[in-house]
Amino acid sequence: MGFALLFSGQGLQSPAMLPWLDDDAPAVQSLAAHPGTAPAFAMPGGWRASLADADFAGRNAFAQPLLTGLALAAWAQLAPHLPAPAAIAGYSVGELPAFAAAGVFDAGTALALAAQRAEAMDRCAAAQPPTGLLGVSGLTAVALDALCARFGLAVAIRSGAATAVLGGPRPALADAADAARAAGAHATPLNVALASHTRWMQPAAAGFAQRLADVPMLPPRGALFCGFAGARRVAVADLRHALAAQIDHTVRWSDCMDGIAERGVQRVLEIGAGSALARLWNERHPSIPARAADEFRSAAAVQAWLARADA
């Protein structure tokens, strides 16, 4: 019963995201002083103006900690007025705010880890030819695998029967996009400057795993689903492994959605940039309504919509 909480990943960040977020709230103001997020607040107009710069918005070093911080600030604004979520999951870098929301570590740790994760991934990407990500929909799983084999790519995220994110070298992604469109599918390059969740990120995953070994963690409050496993994880050792392994392994998001649905949730809220996760959920589990925080004009409206899950 109750509702599930999903935290968005990277790629759809924009100045219009989270329109109801109170920029004067302490949780937002603290981001202006944090080393990982301060650059986004230094520009006149603050973090929203910074995200209007596509180059800035796509840089891991800024985007990952900023999105982590904004997601947690939004949840801090909502949480006091809501019951605890029945299930929590995060998509890609969204696992960091998801872990914090579940009480595995605090918001400050999530921000620090986001900066370290981005640094490890950028360092890895700098040592190889340019890579990236491509969203593809409208092809079967068999056709997606064939597309990867043909162009030397890898499935970064499995999000549905005919929907996935592919990763690999940029020239190969461009060729794969043309081939997918020729086959009648939709193909959209993502504003992410490396091939997250693929073999190209193996050194980054290994480095991040070493960093996580020293981070104090607690078992999650409630049901926390991890993308690497595509399932709920409780033991701290499993959480550490999953958080690092998702950097260079396929994220099994469709399995996460199915596991959450099996818990009998009545509504699903996505917090972050855009509404991609809510759309994927509604396509896969249309009997359980999902909406994105970006769709609302006030925090009170978000709260009112979620309250109906307990009515």
Side-chain angles (χ1 to χ4, degrees), residues 46-69:
W47 66 269
R48 294 190 187 277
S50 72
L51 290 182
D53 182 334
D55 179 63
F56 179 96
R59 294 181 196 173
N60 277 331
F62 299 133
Q64 292 196 22
L66 180 61
L67 292 175
T68 296

Side-chain angles (χ1 to χ4, degrees), residues 10 34-39 59-69 72 93 96-97 105 107-124 194 204 207-208 211-212 247:
Q10 194 177 344
H34 192 279
T37 52
R59 294 181 196 173
N60 277 331
F62 299 133
Q64 292 196 22
L66 180 61
L67 292 175
T68 296
L72 286 172
V93 72
L96 291 171
F105 42 63
T109 299
L111 276 174
L113 288 174
Q116 292 158 2
R117 181 182 189 272
E119 180 184 9
M121 295 173 76
D122 284 342
R123 185 167 56 248
C124 180
L194 40 75
F208 195 57
R211 173 67 187 93
L212 288 172
I247 292 177

Side-chain angles (χ1 to χ4, degrees), residues 60-270:
N60 277 331
F62 299 133
Q64 292 196 22
L66 180 61
L67 292 175
T68 296
L70 291 174
L72 286 172
W75 177 236
Q77 189 170 334
L78 294 172
H81 310 285
L82 296 169
I88 301 176
Y91 185 93
S92 189
V93 72
E95 279 201 344
L96 291 171
F99 274 46
V104 177
F105 42 63
D106 61 21
T109 299
L111 276 174
L113 288 174
Q116 292 158 2
R117 181 182 189 272
E119 180 184 9
M121 295 173 76
D122 284 342
R123 185 167 56 248
C124 180
Q128 53 191 264
T131 59
L133 296 175
L134 176 73
V136 180
S137 61
L139 293 179
T140 66
V142 172
L144 285 167
D145 288 341
L147 193 69
C148 287
R150 176 181 172 188
F151 294 102
L153 304 175
V155 176
I157 301 172
R158 291 197 182 274
S159 50
T163 307
V165 175
L166 310 184
R170 287 189 176 274
L173 289 173
D175 292 340
D178 290 340
R181 294 178 187 123
H186 295 283
T188 306
L190 303 185
N191 189 15
V192 179
L194 40 75
S196 312
H197 319 301
T198 70
R199 60 184 179 272
W200 286 273
M201 289 289 107
Q202 286 177 351
F208 195 57
Q210 291 180 341
R211 173 67 187 93
L212 288 172
D214 298 326
V215 176
M217 295 189 187
L218 297 171
R221 299 189 299 264
L224 176 63
F225 287 77
C226 296
F228 165 72
R232 182 184 181 185
R233 286 294 179 262
V234 176
V236 167
D238 292 339
L239 294 171
R240 289 185 199 279
H241 177 66
L243 197 55
Q246 59 112 299
I247 292 177
D248 69 337
H249 286 75
T250 302
V251 169
R252 296 162 57 186
W253 188 249
S254 55
D255 290 342
C256 287
M257 289 191 287
D258 292 347
I260 291 170
E262 289 169 2
R263 296 192 66 81
V265 299
Q266 294 175 304
R267 293 182 180 241
V268 175
L269 177 69
E270 173 186 359

